[in-house]
Amino acid sequence: MSATGCELHYLDLWGDDESMWKLPWRCKVCPDGIGEAADIAAADSWPGGSPTRGESEDDPGTNAVVVRTAAGLELLEAAVRDGALTVECDIGPAEMNEYQPHQVKKKQAVWAPRRTAMTGLVERYAADGYCFPVDVLDPEQARILGEELLAIRNDPRFVDLGNNDQFNHPHLLSRAAADLVRHPVLLEVAESLLGPDLLVWGATLFAKPPHSGNYVSWHQDLHYWGFDCEDEVSAWVALGPVTEASGCMRFARGSHVVGGIEHNDTFAPGNSLTRGQEAMFEVNEDDVVLVELASGQASFHHGRLLHGSGPNGTDDWRLGLAIQYIGAHVRQVATELDYAMPVRGVDRFHNFAHVSAPDVDLSPESLAWHRRVMLAQNDAIYESTEDVDGAVR
C-alpha cells in the first residue's frame, strides 16, 4: 500500500463561503450540527465561522471542544495528560455562537416549525395525558435496532436481563440503545414536558412474540416506581410497525388527572408487567385511544395515565422500547439507592447515582452495571412483596 500527501488551505478544502460546501441535503437541514447527544464534540473556532484569506495568514485556527458529560470530561482530561491535546482557554456558549454562526442560523430555521408543533404536543399532553405520533427514527434504523435488541434478549448466554421475561435497561448494554435514549428529538419533547435537566431512570424492550397471548393490564406506571413526585414521562419508540392487531398500547384519555389509583397485584400468567398489577378502575371504552405507530415513531405518556395493551395476533414480533425520563429534582423514596443516566442539562441534586452508556456492547463491565441497577431498582418495584417468580433478585 502506498500513500501520497498534500497541503491545502482551509478555504481550498471548504470554499471561500458556505455556498461552496459540498454537503448532503440531510446535513443541511439537520438541526444538530454540534452533536447534542454526544459526550464530547469538536468544532472549528474562527470568529464568523471561517477565516478570510488575509486573516488566515496570522490566525492558523484552533479547535473548540464541547464537553457535556462526565465521560466526555474524563476523555478530554486524559488526552491532555497524555499530551495529545493542549487546552489554551475556556469558552462559553456566546463564543461558540460567534464561531459557528451558520449552525445557530440553521438550528433556528429548522427548529422554528418544530417549536410550533412542540407547543401543540405539550398542550395535548396536558389535556389528555399523552401525545403521539412523534417521528424519531428512520423505519429501517428502527428495524435494525429492534433486531439487535431482540437478539440479545433471546440469546441463551445472557440470563436475568429483566423481570418477567422483559429486557430491562438495554441502554446499559447496547450503544445503539444508549444513543436512542439520548436522541435529540426525544430529549426535546421530554424537556418541553419536564424542564431542561433530565435523567433516564430506565428503559425496557417490550417484545411480544408472534401470535402471543401476552398482554399488559390497565395500570399507572408511577404506582410502583417509588418517586416522590409526578415529574416523569415515558417515551415508547416503535421498533417496527405497531397496530391494533399486533397489540398496540391503549390509552385512557384524560385519566392522568384522576390521581393515584389502587392496584391489585395479580401475577397473572401472560401479563407482561412485573407484578401483573391491575388498576382498580373502570375504564370508559369511549375514552380508549389506540396508539398505532409506524416504525420509528414514538408516543409519550404521563406516569399517571392509565394504559395497557392487547395480545399480538400477527406473524411478526411486536417490538417497542419504553424509556422513562425524569426531572433531575425527582427523588426515590422507596429504596435508599437508585441509579439514572444524565442525558440533558445539569444534575444539581444528585438524588440518583449516575450510570453511563456502555463503551463496548455486552462487555463484562456493562453486564455488571446492568445487574447492579436491576437489583437496586427492584427493591422499589417489588417493595413489600415476597420472592416473585421471574423477578431478578
Side-chain angles (χ1 to χ4, degrees):
M1 178 181 292
S2 63
T4 59
C6 65
E7 185 173 317
L8 287 175
H9 189 281
Y10 180 91
L11 295 177
D12 291 330
L13 182 65
W14 284 100
D16 287 283
D17 62 71
E18 296 176 20
S19 66
M20 297 176 64
W21 290 5
K22 301 297 190 290
L23 294 175
W25 171 251
R26 62 183 180 273
C27 294
K28 294 180 180 180
V29 299
C30 173
D32 184 21
I34 54 173
E36 288 186 14
D39 297 303
I40 191 168
D44 304 319
S45 55
W46 276 292
S50 60
T52 65
R53 295 278 176 178
E55 289 171 341
S56 65
E57 296 298 327
D58 299 320
D59 181 5
T62 56
N63 286 320
V65 177
V66 182
V67 176
R68 298 187 181 87
T69 65
L73 181 60
E74 182 180 348
L75 179 63
L76 177 65
E77 291 175 341
V80 172
R81 286 195 305 269
D82 292 344
L85 290 178
T86 299
V87 177
E88 295 180 353
C89 64
D90 291 332
I91 61 174
E95 289 88 351
M96 283 302 299
N97 287 348
E98 181 184 359
Y99 293 147
Q100 299 283 317
H102 52 284
Q103 298 290 1
V104 176
K105 294 174 186 176
K106 184 171 66 169
K107 185 155 190 172
Q108 290 171 341
V110 174
W111 277 104
R114 193 169 192 94
R115 286 289 185 185
T116 302
M118 200 69 68
T119 300
L121 289 175
V122 171
E123 291 174 350
R124 185 178 182 189
Y125 182 88
D128 297 335
Y130 60 83
C131 56
F132 76 94
V134 176
D135 294 329
V136 179
L137 295 177
D138 175 90
E140 182 65 7
Q141 287 180 305
R143 182 191 65 80
I144 292 172
L145 177 58
E147 289 181 353
E148 174 188 323
L149 298 183
L150 184 62
I152 296 173
R153 173 193 180 273
N154 294 341
D155 193 323
R157 294 175 300 167
F158 306 111
V159 296
D160 291 342
L161 292 183
N163 300 310
N164 200 18
D165 206 30
Q166 298 174 353
F167 180 8
N168 300 124
H169 309 297
H171 64 301
L172 302 182
L173 298 176
S174 159
R175 289 169 295 175
D179 288 343
L180 178 56
V181 305
R182 297 177 294 181
H183 194 286
V185 173
L186 296 179
L187 296 182
E188 191 73 15
V189 178
E191 178 177 344
S192 298
L193 300 174
L194 300 176
D197 302 324
L198 300 173
L199 310 174
V200 167
W201 179 69
T204 296
L205 177 71
F206 283 98
K208 289 183 182 178
H211 301 287
S212 162
N214 294 356
Y215 69 98
V216 173
S217 52
W218 288 107
H219 69 286
Q220 295 175 315
D221 292 332
L222 289 179
H223 181 74
Y224 57 104
W225 285 350
F227 300 153
D228 70 333
C229 64
E230 297 183 355
D231 292 332
E232 177 274 340
V233 61
S234 289
W236 202 99
V237 184
L239 302 180
V242 178
T243 64
E244 181 179 11
S246 65
C248 68
M249 278 200 297
R250 298 175 293 164
F251 291 157
R253 182 190 294 111
S255 57
H256 63 302
V257 302
V258 176
I261 298 171
E262 289 298 315
H263 286 58
N264 179 36
D265 294 341
T266 69
F267 300 101
N271 192 328
S272 296
L273 294 177
T274 51
R275 304 161 68 131
Q277 56 269 26
E278 295 182 358
M280 300 173 67
F281 185 87
E282 191 68 32
V283 175
N284 186 336
E285 286 300 318
D286 292 337
D287 295 329
V288 175
V289 176
L290 296 176
V291 191
E292 295 186 305
L293 298 170
S295 182
Q297 290 184 329
S299 65
F300 292 79
H301 66 268
H302 192 284
R304 289 295 184 197
L305 184 79
L306 283 167
H307 61 289
S309 66
N312 178 11
T314 72
D315 295 332
D316 301 308
W317 284 81
R318 193 223 64 173
L319 301 174
L321 186 67
I323 307 162
Q324 288 76 49
Y325 295 99
I326 59 176
H329 60 279
V330 173
R331 292 189 305 116
Q332 173 61 261
V333 295
T335 183
E336 292 185 5
L337 176 64
D338 203 348
Y339 296 86
M341 177 184 289
V343 290
R344 175 165 282 194
V346 178
D347 182 3
R348 301 178 180 86
F349 301 90
H350 301 285
N351 293 327
F352 295 79
H354 289 178
V355 291
S356 300
D359 294 323
V360 178
D361 291 348
L362 299 167
S363 67
E365 293 79 11
S366 65
L367 286 164
W369 268 108
H370 180 272
R371 181 164 181 81
R372 193 175 301 139
V373 173
M374 282 290 306
L375 293 175
Q377 293 194 354
N378 276 358
D379 286 344
I381 293 172
Y382 289 104
E383 184 186 22
S384 73
T385 66
E386 301 297 331
D387 288 341
V388 176
D389 288 342
V392 177
R393 289 293 178 91

